[in-house]
Amino acid sequence: GPPPAPYLRIEAAGLVTERPGTLALSPLRRDPSRRSFARAEFHDEPNTAAWLSGSVRIDRLVPGQPVPGHYTACPTGAPCSAGDFMA
């Protein structure tokens, strides 16, 4: 199950291992004109989520290995936050 709130969940799809890079966060939906996309949601309480704008950078994408990267996430009407991750 999901971790206890608060937490940030980032999803990325359509990335190519030879070309990791930076993706703009797309709220809710995938843009069919783009092959790859990312989205992020912030859960501040159980069963509540807010979609965020910003970006996610994937530094290295090798099957079977941890994925390092960086995010900048901006909730509507609040300051942005940024950080590094290992997924």
Side-chain angles (χ1 to χ4, degrees):
Y7 67 92
L8 176 66
R9 178 179 169 183
I10 299 172
E11 299 175 346
L15 296 168
V16 179
T17 56
E18 298 82 25
R19 291 190 336 247
T22 300
L23 298 171
L25 295 177
S26 232
L28 258 344
R29 299 189 182 175
R30 182 176 181 163
D31 179 350
S33 68
R34 301 186 72 176
R35 179 171 182 213
S36 56
F37 83 105
R39 62 185 180 179
E41 57 185 347
F42 177 66
H43 293 258
D44 60 348
E45 296 178 13
N47 302 318
T48 63
W51 294 100
L52 307 172
S53 60
S55 63
V56 62
R57 183 186 76 226
I58 305 298
D59 294 330
R60 187 179 68 242
L61 189 59
V62 177
Q65 293 188 9
V67 177
H70 180 84
Y71 69 88
T72 300
C74 307
T76 303
C80 297
S81 61
D84 295 322
F85 63 86
M86 182 71 71

